[in-house]
C-alpha cells in the first residue's frame, strides 16, 4: 500500500514519519467521507429514465364514445317532473327566467311505481354574498338535526345550477331499485351509424353499451387487432349521431360526443378524461403510445395489481390509479355516510344515497368531497401508481363534415341506412321520430382514430447505482486515495489479525508465567 511503506521506511526521520502519518490519516479520512457520501446516494435509490423506441405493432386501444344525452329513467319520470318543477321555481326566484324544462312529457305507459322518493325541498338555490362583496350562488347543507350547516357556493351561476340539479338528480336515482339500469339497454342502438375498422365492418361483439347517468348512451369499441401498418385505413372510422336531445337540459349542457381512448381492460372515467367532438365535423385523431415501467420498491412506490393497493378495487378491471382513488373515495363515503355515491360502484352490502333512506347525506358527501379537494383524504397514499402504465398521446385534426355540397345526399343516405338496419330504439316515443331529410349537418359527426406511427416508446426506470456500479465506484475511490487493490486490503487485514493474535499469545504467556511464579512463591 502506498504511504504505509513510506511510513515504515522513514522510521529514522521523525519529521518524515510524522508527515507521512498525517498524510495517511488524512487520506483515510477523505476516503471514508467519500464512502459515506456514496452510500448515502446509494441508499436514496435514485433512478434515471431511459427512453427506448420499439417498432412492433401494438394492440389497438379501446375507444369509448358517449352521446351526452342522458335519458330520463322511465321508472322515475314522475319524480323527475317534480324535480324539474322545483328547478323552475328556484331558477325563477334567482334569475326571473322561466325555464321551459324538458320536452319529454311522461307517457301514461312510462309511469313508474308509486314514488317512495321525497324531494328534499330544504336544499334550495340561493344568492350568497361573499366577504369581498362578490356574489356567488349556492345551496345550504345541514346535518340531520339541522345543525353544522355550511354553504356549497359557486361563483358561476351556471355551475351552481348544474351542481344543485345534479345533487337532486342523484338523490332521486339513489332511491330507484338498483337493477333499473337494465331498462336502458334498449337505448343507444341509434347512436352509431356506421363503424369500420382495419378494413372490416365492426360486429356487434366488438361493442359494449352502457348508459351513464350524466353522459348518456355510451359505446365501448374494442376490436382485437394489432395494427400492422400505421395510417388511417388501419384504424377505426365511425359515423355518429350527434343530435342534441333535451331529456335533461339542466344536467348536460354540452353538445357533442365524448371520446376516451383507453387500454382494453381499463375502466373509462368519463368525468376525468377524454375530449369532445364537435357535431358537424370530421375529426381525425392520431394516437401515439408511451409505456412507462417503474421499478417499484425500494426505488419508489408502484404496484403490479390491485393486491398491492391499500384499498380493495370496486371495478372488475385492471388496476389503475384512478380506479383505486374512486374506490377509496366510495369506501370512505360508505364508512362515514353509510351510503354510496351514485356515480361509483357499490361495495357489497351497501346501498346508494337517497334522502328517503339517508337524510342529510348531502351534508356528509360535500364535507367529504371538500376534504378530497383539499387533499385531506388518505387516498393518494393508499393508491400507488401501477408499475406498468400506458398512456396515449393524441393529436387531432378537424374539418367540416359533411360539406354543404354533399350534405343533402349524405344525410339522406345515412337516414335510410339507419332506418333500415338499426331501426328505432324501443325506448323512443313515436312522436319524436327523427325526420332525416330535414336533419341539419350539425346532427352527425365522423371520427377516425388511427396509430400515427407504429413505433412506441417505453420509458424505463433504471437504477443509478447497481451493486457492481457501487463496487466500482468504491474501488476507484480506494485507488484514488491509496492506489491499492482488494488484495492489499486483505494483506492489511492479515497484518492486523497477526498483530492481534501475537498480542493475545504474548499476553497469555505472561499471565501464565505470572501465575506460575505466584504458585511457586506460595509453595515456598
Ligand atoms: C313565469 O311563470 C310564472 C308562473 O309559473 C308567471 O307568473 C310569470 O309571469 C312567468 N314569468 C315570465 C317572465 O314569463
Ligand atoms: C348536527 O350538528 C350539531 C351542531 O354541530 C350537533 O350538535 C349534532 O349532534 C349534529 N347531529 C348529528 C346527527 O350529527
Ligand atoms: C411509499 O409508500 C409508503 C406508504 O405506503 C411511504 O411511507 C413511502 O415513503 C413511499 N415511498 C416512496 C419512495 O414514495
Ligand atoms: C369480471 O370480469 C370477468 C371477465 O371480464 C368475468 O368473467 C367475471 O365474471 C367478472 N366478475 C364480476 C364479479 O363481475
Amino acid at each position: 500500500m502506498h504511504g504505509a511503506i513510506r511510513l515504515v521506511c522513514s522510521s529514522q526521520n521523525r519529521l518524515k514519519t510524522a508527515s507521512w502519518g498525517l498524510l495517511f490519516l488524512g487520506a483515510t479520512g477523505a476516503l471514508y467521507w467519500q464512502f459515506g457520501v456514496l452510500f448515502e446516494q446509494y441508499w436514496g435509490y435514485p433512478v434515471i429514465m431511459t427512453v427506448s423506441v420499439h417498432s412492433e405493432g401494438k394492440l389497438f386501444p379501446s375507444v369509448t364514445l358517449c352521446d351526452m344525452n342522458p335519458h330520463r329513467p322511465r321508472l322515475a319520470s314522475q319524480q323527475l317532473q317534480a324535480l324539474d318543477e322545483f328547478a323552475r321555481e328556484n331558477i325563477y326566484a334567482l334569475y326571473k327566467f322561466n325555464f321551459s324544462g324538458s320536452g319529454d312529457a311522461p307517457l301514461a305507459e312510462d309511469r313508474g311505481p308509486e314514488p317512495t322518493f321525497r324531494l328534499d325541498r330544504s336544499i334550495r338555490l340561493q344568492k350568497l354574498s361573499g366577504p369581498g362583496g362578490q356574489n356567488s350562488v349556492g345551496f345550504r347543507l345541514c346535518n340531520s338535526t339541522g345543525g353544522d350547516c355550511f354553504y356549497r357556493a359557486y361563483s358561476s351561476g351556471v355551475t351552481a345550477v348544474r351542481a344543485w340539479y345534479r345533487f337532486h338528480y342523484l338523490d332521486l336515482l339513489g332511491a330507484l331499485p338498483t337493477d333499473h339500469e337494465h331498462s336502458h339497454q334498449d337505448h343507444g342502438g341509434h347512436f352509431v351509424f356506421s363503424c369500420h375498422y382495419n378494413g372490416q365492418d365492426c360486429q356487434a361483439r366488438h361493442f359494449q353499451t352502457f348508459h351513464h347517468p350524466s353522459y348518456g348512451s355510451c359505446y365501448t369499441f374494442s376490436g382485437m387487432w394489432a395494427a400492422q401498418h400505421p395510417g388511417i385505413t388501419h384504424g377505426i372510422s365511425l359515423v355518429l349521431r350527434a343530435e342534441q336531445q333535451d331529456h335533461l337540459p339542466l344536467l348536460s349542457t354540452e353538445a357533442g360526443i365524448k371520446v376516451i381512448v383507453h387500454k382494453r381492460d381499463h375502466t373509462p372515467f368519463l368525468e376525468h378524461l377524454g375530449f369532445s367532438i364537435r357535431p358537424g365535423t370530421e375529426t381525425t385523431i392520431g394516437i401515439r403510445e408511451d409505456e412507462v415501467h417503474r421499478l417499484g420498491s425500494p426505488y419508489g412506490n408502484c404496484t403490479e395489481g390491485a393486491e398491492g393497493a391499500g384499498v380493495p378495487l370496486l371495478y372488475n378491471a385492471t388496476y389503475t390509479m384512478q380506479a383505486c382513488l374512486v374506490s377509496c373515495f366510495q369506501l370512505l363515503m360508505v364508512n362515514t355516510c353509510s351510503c354510496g355515491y351514485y356515480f361509483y360502484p357499490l361495495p357489497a352490502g351497501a346501498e346508494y344515497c337517497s334522502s328517503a333512506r339517508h337524510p342529510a347525506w348531502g351534508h356528509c358527501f360535500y364535507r367529504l368531497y371538500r376534504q378530497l379537494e383539499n387533499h385531506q383524504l388518505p387516498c393518494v397514499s393508499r393508491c400507488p401508481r401501477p408499475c406498468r402504465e400506458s398512456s396515449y398521446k393524441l393529436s387531432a385534426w378537424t374539418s367540416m363534415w359533411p360539406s354543404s355540397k354533399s350534405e343533402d345526399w349524405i344525410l339522406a343516405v345515412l337516414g335510410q341506412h339507419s332506418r333500415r338496419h338499426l331501426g328505432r330504439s324501443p325506448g323512443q316515443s313515436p312522436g319524436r321520430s327523427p325526420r332525416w331529410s330535414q336533419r341539419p349537418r350539425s346532427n352527425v359527426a365522423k371520427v377516425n382514430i388511427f396509430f400515427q406511427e407504429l413505433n412506441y416508446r417505453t420509458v424505463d426506470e433504471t437504477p443509478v447505482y447497481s451493486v457492481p456500479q457501487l463496487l466500482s465506484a468504491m474501488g476507484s475511490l480506494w485507488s484514488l486515495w491509496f492506489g491499492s487493490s482488494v488484495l492489499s486490503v486483505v494483506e492489511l487485514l492479515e497484518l492486523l489479525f497477526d498483530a492481534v493474535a501475537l498480542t493475545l499469545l504474548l499476553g497469555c504467556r505472561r499471565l501464565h508465567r505470572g501465575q506460575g511464579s505466584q504458585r511457586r512463591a506460595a509453595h515456598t
Side-chain angles (χ1 to χ4, degrees), residues 326-458:
V326 165
S327 304
C328 176
F329 181 79
Q330 182 76 317
L331 290 168
L332 283 174
M333 174 96 189
V334 169
N335 278 344
T336 47
C337 310
S338 58
C339 62
Y341 186 53
Y342 191 78
F343 281 152
Y344 303 149
L346 278 181
E351 53 183 7
Y352 285 122
C353 295
S354 72
S355 42
R357 277 170 299 185
H358 311 95
W361 70 269
H363 174 268
C364 179
F365 166 71
Y366 278 111
R367 175 136 296 193
L368 200 65
Y369 194 73
R370 197 161 57 186
Q371 287 179 4
L372 179 79
E373 287 170 330
N374 297 340
H375 310 286
Q376 287 165 346
L377 294 185
C379 288
V380 174
S381 60
R382 288 187 196 166
C383 293
R385 294 169 178 283
C387 292
R388 301 175 73 87
E389 202 173 16
S390 283
S391 61
Y392 296 105
K393 302 271 174 295
L394 309 180
S395 331
W397 301 268
T398 58
S399 61
M400 235 162 72
W401 185 86
S403 69
S404 46
K405 276 175 288 179
S406 58
E407 182 179 350
D408 288 348
W409 75 263
I410 289 185
L411 291 177
V413 170
L414 276 181
Q416 289 304 319
H417 185 77
S418 132
R419 215 175 281 153
R420 204 143 30 93
H421 287 279
L422 297 158
R424 198 155 43 73
S425 76
Q428 253 181 324
S429 62
R432 275 176 282 123
S433 155
R435 284 189 298 280
W436 293 95
S437 51
Q438 289 161 21
R439 179 173 290 276
R441 189 180 69 228
S442 64
N443 285 340
V444 289
K446 192 171 174 187
V447 196
N448 310 308
I449 301 174
F450 67 103
F451 267 125
Q452 216 170 329
E453 50 190 64
L454 274 190
N455 296 336
Y456 68 95
R457 281 185 303 175
T458 60

Side-chain angles (χ1 to χ4, degrees), residues 226-347:
Q228 298 299 336
H229 309 279
I232 295 183
T233 47
H234 299 279
I236 169 169
S237 177
L238 295 144
V239 178
L240 305 163
R241 173 207 286 249
E243 188 187 23
Q244 270 267 280
Q245 289 159 1
D246 53 355
H247 298 308
L248 292 160
L250 287 178
L251 193 68
S252 87
T253 53
E254 204 176 342
I257 287 173
K258 183 100 176 169
V259 181
I260 298 185
V261 176
H262 56 99
K263 264 194 106 69
R264 287 174 54 80
D265 41 8
H266 287 181
T267 314
F269 285 95
L270 299 159
E271 305 87 355
H272 304 286
L273 297 168
F275 56 95
S276 306
I277 283 179
R278 193 186 146 140
T281 59
E282 171 165 1
T283 308
T284 301
I285 297 160
I287 309 178
R288 250 178 317 190
E289 184 168 351
D290 282 351
E291 247 179 50
V292 177
H293 299 169
R294 299 192 174 83
L295 281 173
S297 175
Y299 296 96
N301 278 344
C302 79
T303 176
E304 293 288 345
E307 308 78 40
V311 183
L313 217 60
L314 297 178
Y315 292 91
N316 185 16
T318 310
Y319 178 87
T320 53
M321 198 172 160
Q322 192 73 50
C324 177
L325 289 174
V326 165
S327 304
C328 176
F329 181 79
Q330 182 76 317
L331 290 168
L332 283 174
M333 174 96 189
V334 169
N335 278 344
T336 47
C337 310
S338 58
C339 62
Y341 186 53
Y342 191 78
F343 281 152
Y344 303 149
L346 278 181

Side-chain angles (χ1 to χ4, degrees), residues 476-509:
S476 61
L477 285 181
W478 192 277
S479 62
L480 174 67
W481 294 108
F482 290 108
S484 65
S485 70
V486 172
L487 294 184
S488 342
V489 180
V490 175
E491 282 174 20
L492 200 69
L493 288 179
E494 191 198 12
L495 180 72
L496 276 177
F497 179 77
D498 283 353
V500 169
L502 209 64
T503 321
L504 281 179
L505 212 66
L506 286 178
C508 276
R509 188 173 292 174

